Amino acid sequence: EESIESTPEFLENAGIIAGARILKSTQWTQGVQRHGGDIGLELTTRNCGVLLQHCLGSLSTSSLAGTSTHTITPGDLTGLGLTVQIGRPDSGGTVRPFTYAGCKVASWEIALASNQNATFGLSLVAQTQTTATGLATASYTTTSDPFSFVGGSFVLAGSTLCIRSARVAGDNKLDTDRVCVGHNYIEQPIESDLRELTGELEMEFPDLIHYNRFV
């Protein structure tokens, strides 16, 4: 699912005009154009690496015997940007392309629960939107499968524990209000504070050893 949208701002003249009962067209002008929103996905065995890199900043990959290990760690987000296109059908059935350039991941979340597939949520902020770019042809990796609870495990200090659900999330603390004189769009959002990485677990009460680790 997605909820990306564009929100134009308008600057209104505060002047008082004798006899005027409504704001005239000459009394307002367009301000900053803001674009962004959320995208909800299922976490899959392929094609999520580039998105995870944009979530945290740094990605390294190693392969052994046909199996790839991706290690994603916090790194510099400056210069990283995505172009995202969404095809939306109009009432006549024609798919209209909405292309968002200069997208950065403001926050993200990965969640997993018993008897469910893993989910991957992204909150994006974009610099521009256009409907003039042609609709790209979507292609899908045939060997990409969803991660599910069956392939998950949780280990703490060498002990495998029974958990019901898990969630890990990040807020990149981007300054999404970098508006400069002369532009009606935001400049590249940069980190304005320490990032927040949080998690949540629902689990059984195994013993006091693990409870004391939590404390």
Side-chain angles (χ1 to χ4, degrees), residues 3-7 9 32-39 51 54-55 77 79-84 86 99-108 121-129 171-179 184-192:
S3 62
I4 296 180
E5 61 183 11
S6 298
T7 308
E9 295 181 0
V32 177
Q33 306 294 298
R34 300 183 186 275
H35 318 280
D38 299 332
I39 294 179
L51 294 178
H54 283 260
C55 289
L77 295 170
L80 287 177
L82 294 163
T83 296
V84 175
I86 300 170
T99 305
Y100 301 90
C103 294
K104 298 188 76 75
V105 178
S107 60
W108 55 272
L122 303 168
S123 289
L124 302 179
V125 57
Q127 186 179 63
T128 61
Q129 176 211 263
D171 185 342
N172 289 325
K173 296 295 182 180
L174 298 181
D175 180 2
T176 59
D177 201 29
R178 297 186 67 219
V179 181
N184 68 340
Y185 53 81
I186 62 171
E187 299 294 331
Q188 177 180 194
I190 58 176
E191 296 174 63
S192 60

Side-chain angles (χ1 to χ4, degrees), residues 2-195:
E2 60 87 12
S3 62
I4 296 180
E5 61 183 11
S6 298
T7 308
E9 295 181 0
F10 299 94
L11 308 177
E12 297 181 353
N13 191 313
I16 298 174
I17 298 179
R21 289 183 170 82
I22 61 172
L23 198 69
K24 298 186 177 185
S25 60
T26 55
Q27 289 182 276
W28 64 269
T29 186
Q30 221 170 51
V32 177
Q33 306 294 298
R34 300 183 186 275
H35 318 280
D38 299 332
I39 294 179
L41 308 164
E42 286 190 340
L43 191 65
T44 57
T45 57
R46 295 179 183 270
N47 302 326
C48 286
V50 65
L51 294 178
L52 290 168
Q53 179 184 6
H54 283 260
C55 289
L56 283 170
S58 178
L59 170 68
S60 62
T61 302
S62 60
S63 298
L64 180 64
T67 299
S68 296
T69 300
H70 304 287
T71 304
I72 301 97
T73 53
D76 190 3
L77 295 170
T78 306
L80 287 177
L82 294 163
T83 296
V84 175
Q85 186 181 79
I86 300 170
R88 297 182 174 121
D90 61 21
S91 58
T94 301
V95 179
R96 305 294 184 180
F98 289 75
T99 305
Y100 301 90
C103 294
K104 298 188 76 75
V105 178
S107 60
W108 55 272
E109 178 180 298
I110 294 175
L112 178 63
S114 57
N115 205 28
Q116 293 184 21
N117 288 333
T119 58
F120 187 16
L122 303 168
S123 289
L124 302 179
V125 57
Q127 186 179 63
T128 61
Q129 176 211 263
T130 180
T131 56
T133 303
L135 183 66
T137 301
S139 61
Y140 304 94
T141 304
T142 56
T143 55
S144 181
D145 302 313
F147 280 112
S148 75
F149 77 106
V150 176
S153 64
F154 181 76
V155 179
L156 177 63
S159 299
T160 300
L161 301 178
C162 177
I163 64 170
R164 307 300 187 196
S165 63
R167 179 185 67 85
V168 61
D171 185 342
N172 289 325
K173 296 295 182 180
L174 298 181
D175 180 2
T176 59
D177 201 29
R178 297 186 67 219
V179 181
C180 299
V181 172
H183 297 159
N184 68 340
Y185 53 81
I186 62 171
E187 299 294 331
Q188 177 180 194
I190 58 176
E191 296 174 63
S192 60
D193 203 346
L194 293 176
R195 301 182 198 178

